Amino acid sequence: MSIAIYPGSFDPVTKGHLNIIARAAKSFDKLIVCVMVNSDKHPMFSLEERVDMLRRVTCGMENVEVDFSDSLLAEYAKSRGAGVIVKGLRAMSDFEREFQMAIINHKLNPGLDTMFLTAEHQFMYLSSSMVKEMGHYHVDLSDFLPQEIILDFIARIQERY
C-alpha cells in the first residue's frame, strides 16, 4: 500500500490546500493530511479545531485520513509507514525552503521521498496568512475557503477583533 503525508499548519485550510489534497489523493492508496505543530507559529485555531475542519472538508475523500503530530515529520512518516511527503508549491520562493526540508527529511529517514505539486494557477497567490488578512477586512471569502469552514473562520475573526 502506498502511503503519503501532506503536512502543514492548515490555519485555516484553504481551497489551495484542498486542491493539493484532492490531486495528491489520486496518486496514493492513502493520503494522511497531518496538522503539524510548529513552535514558531501562533495559530488562529487550536490543533483540535484545525483537525476538525480538515475532517469536515475531506470527509468525501475515501482514501484521505486526517491526523496531527508534534514530532519531527521524518519520524512521524516512519511511524505511519509513509514513503512520500507531499508538498504544495506556489512560487519559486517556496521551492528553496521546501527543497532544503526534503533533503533533511531524506537524511533523517532514507526511505522518505518528497513529491512537489505546483499550485494550480487560481491558487498560486493564496495563503492562510492572506486569508486572515482579508478576513480582518470582511472580504467575501467564498473563493478562498471551503464553504464548510467559512462560518467558523468569520466567528474567530470577530472574536479576535
Side-chain angles (χ1 to χ4, degrees):
M1 171 182 270
S2 62
I3 301 172
I5 297 171
Y6 178 40
S9 55
F10 306 105
D11 187 45
V13 59
T14 68
K15 284 188 174 183
H17 292 128
L18 203 52
N19 176 260
I20 296 291
I21 292 167
R23 291 168 51 215
K26 293 176 187 175
S27 298
F28 301 96
D29 296 321
K30 179 191 276 188
L31 177 67
I32 302 168
V33 180
C34 188
V35 179
M36 302 297 292
V37 175
N38 184 337
S39 59
D40 292 336
K41 293 187 176 183
H42 304 286
M44 181 177 191
F45 292 96
S46 72
L47 182 66
E48 295 79 12
E49 289 170 322
R50 289 177 280 155
V51 167
D52 175 66
M53 286 188 283
L54 276 162
R55 285 185 176 144
R56 284 189 278 148
V57 301
T58 62
C59 67
M61 301 176 189
E62 291 183 18
N63 66 328
V64 173
E65 174 187 331
V66 177
D67 198 7
F68 65 92
S69 177
D70 62 358
S71 65
L72 283 174
L73 180 56
E75 291 174 5
Y76 176 78
K78 188 180 285 185
S79 75
R80 296 301 310 265
V84 177
I85 299 299
V86 174
K87 297 300 288 198
L89 298 177
R90 293 175 299 218
M92 284 303 293
S93 56
D94 288 345
F95 179 75
E96 202 167 318
R97 176 160 165 62
E98 295 301 344
F99 184 71
Q100 182 181 30
M101 290 305 303
I103 293 169
I104 291 169
N105 284 327
H106 187 72
K107 176 81 172 160
L108 296 172
N109 178 350
L112 189 60
D113 286 315
T114 300
M115 181 176 96
F116 297 108
L117 281 177
T118 56
E120 290 190 6
H121 72 280
Q122 66 269 37
F123 305 116
M124 290 191 101
Y125 62 89
L126 187 56
S127 70
S128 296
S129 299
M130 292 287 229
V131 169
K132 290 175 195 173
E133 182 70 14
M134 289 185 291
H136 177 72
Y137 292 101
H138 311 290
V139 171
D140 175 12
L141 299 171
S142 57
D143 286 340
F144 311 111
L145 293 176
Q147 194 62 44
E148 298 91 337
I149 69 162
I150 288 177
L151 292 178
D152 298 288
F153 182 82
I154 290 170
R156 183 57 46 89
I157 286 286
Q158 289 173 344
E159 287 173 14
R160 293 180 79 165
Y161 300 107

